[in-house]
Amino acid sequence: MKSLRRRPSRAIPSVVVLVLVLIVGVGLLWAGIQKLSTGQWWPQLSSAADSASSASWNSPWGWGAAAVAVVLGLILLLCAVLPGGFNAARLNRQPVDADYSGAPIEAVIGNRGLATLASSAAAQIDGVSGVKSSATAKTVIVRVTTPLHESSELVGEVKAAVEERLASADLTRFPKVRVSAQSKDVS
């Protein structure tokens, strides 16, 4: 059985490598067409090839280029191999009927769902004029705007309300809640 608590796909490293390979491929294709049509390489490409061929492999430039290539390769390899963070929080298992004989029931709430729960709880507090929130499986960040000049008490109320709402969701691992407030005059 597949777990509902998936890790996101590693699309960004794949797209970066794809774009880099595509740029190199188009450049080589263009240079090849140039060589076939005119019988000679571009002057810039010829001078770069001449200077590269005259350089020694044991020169500082050669070692520097090799080190940069190795570091970039390792970074791209790690980005492709290491999984991303979880994109959902697991809910505690609910009791099922005694006559239920199926597989265990698994329920999760996505990070957007956690952020929506936090936003709705924060928006119900007096003195909050706007709410933006984001969440991971481990932390929920709530940013509120308020017309109040002194907002430290409001931050405590919002944090308590968000924690209470998340506690009612019955999560297996309770996320850390961070609240910040920004004072804006209402006009």
Side-chain angles (χ1 to χ4, degrees), residues 8-23:
S9 66
R10 303 304 291 175
I12 291 175
S14 301
V15 169
V16 167
V17 170
L18 172 81
V19 168
L20 290 174
V21 169
L22 185 65
I23 288 171

Side-chain angles (χ1 to χ4, degrees), residues 96-135:
V96 293
D97 298 331
D99 58 345
Y100 178 75
S101 61
I105 297 173
E106 181 182 21
V108 296
I109 183 169
N111 292 342
R112 287 184 188 171
L114 282 176
T116 303
L117 276 177
S119 292
S120 66
Q124 294 176 354
I125 303 298
D126 288 338
V128 173
S129 60
V131 180
K132 289 183 182 179
S133 61
S134 60

Side-chain angles (χ1 to χ4, degrees), residues 28-41:
L28 290 174
L29 179 68
W30 195 302
I33 291 172
Q34 172 74 19
K35 171 71 172 169
L36 289 174
S37 65
T38 64
Q40 57 185 337
W41 296 105

